[in-house]
Amino acid sequence: MTFRHLAACTLALGAAAAFPALGQDLNAGKAAFAQCAACHSVDGANGAGPSLKGVIGRKAGSFAGFRYSRAMKNSTTVWDDKTLDAYLANPQAAMPGNVMPFSGVADPKQRADLIEYLKSLK
């Protein structure tokens, strides 16, 4: 094995240790949703926030009957794993001007689990 191959393997193994597979957990995601449930429903009814039923694949700011911020209405974001992860990590950075009073979910595993749960809400 050449030094270049050895270095590449070492870097790959180090990266794998630093960023382990998240392995989403639907039940953990449902539990994580408890912090969202004060404002968001999963049954299609709007509350202080829009319902998150069917959020995957939906254009931001488009759920019928909810009064969205200008930032959300004018957004071109379509909710998927990547866009939800960024938004849940830091809503204000991901979509400046939105009015959701939530600072975000810092833990990447918890966000992945939460997204897995949201994906189940069809």
Side-chain angles (χ1 to χ4, degrees):
M1 185 179 280
T2 69
F3 177 75
R4 184 175 290 157
H5 287 108
L6 183 59
C9 289
T10 302
L11 286 173
L13 288 173
F19 301 104
L22 295 178
Q24 295 87 0
D25 181 336
L26 183 65
N27 289 327
K30 187 174 184 175
F33 184 78
Q35 62 190 316
C36 311
C39 297
H40 297 278
S41 80
V42 297
D43 63 4
N46 291 321
S51 176
L52 298 179
K53 181 178 183 178
V55 70
I56 300 293
R58 184 189 323 159
K59 182 187 173 300
S62 69
F63 194 78
F66 188 77
R67 187 171 176 222
Y68 288 95
S69 66
R70 182 171 296 150
M72 196 65 77
K73 285 190 292 190
N74 294 334
S75 173
T76 59
T77 298
V78 174
W79 298 120
D80 61 18
D81 291 41
K82 184 178 176 181
T83 56
L84 277 169
D85 184 60
Y87 188 76
L88 290 170
N90 187 336
Q92 297 307 318
M95 190 172 298
N98 87 79
V99 295
M100 186 168 80
F102 183 68
S103 60
V105 178
D107 182 354
K109 171 75 168 111
Q110 190 176 34
R111 286 195 313 271
D113 292 341
L114 181 54
I115 292 166
E116 189 67 16
Y117 175 66
L118 293 174
K119 288 163 69 173
S120 76
L121 304 173
K122 302 195 189 287

